[in-house]
Amino acid sequence: MPKRAEDEPLARLTLGVSADSQWRAHADVGHRFGEKGEWGIRVNGSYQNGDTPMDNQSQTSHVGALALDYRGERLRASVDLVDQEEQMDVLV
């Protein structure tokens, strides 16, 4: 689900690690611009890397999203760009 910039600015960073030594990071930043806040930008990104609960298996994944929008009195428009990749490695 694409996210849009809200009326209040947002800047959030979340970091974590699991017991299986898989770490992750997620950033979420959004802001509105213009006299009436008609232009919005929101950037979302996450990265995860490390061992999984399965023996001899590791996972790397990333997701990046950019949402641009315009909220005028008579027009609303938006553009969403998303990049996602996931890789699973199994050692035998």
Side-chain angles (χ1 to χ4, degrees):
M1 171 69 90
K3 296 181 176 184
R4 301 276 171 252
E6 299 177 6
D7 292 331
E8 294 295 318
L10 172 71
R12 184 179 305 147
L13 176 64
T14 306
L15 302 172
V17 65
S18 71
D20 298 308
S21 57
Q22 186 169 72
W23 63 275
R24 59 194 172 280
H26 178 253
D28 190 5
V29 179
H31 194 75
R32 299 209 72 80
F33 302 92
E35 280 186 30
K36 299 177 182 177
E38 60 270 21
W39 296 97
I41 183 169
R42 187 144 178 192
V43 178
N44 237 306
S46 67
Y47 183 81
Q48 185 170 321
N49 187 5
D51 295 334
T52 69
M54 301 284 291
D55 288 340
N56 301 318
Q57 184 181 52
S58 65
Q59 176 187 22
T60 301
S61 64
H62 77 265
V63 177
L66 171 66
L68 305 170
D69 70 276
Y70 175 79
R71 292 189 316 200
E73 291 183 28
R74 302 187 70 179
L75 173 69
R76 291 186 183 241
S78 63
V79 174
D80 299 304
L81 302 170
V82 178
D83 178 51
Q84 181 176 355
E85 183 178 354
E86 183 170 19
Q87 180 178 334
M88 300 288 278
D89 293 319
V90 178
L91 301 174
V92 286

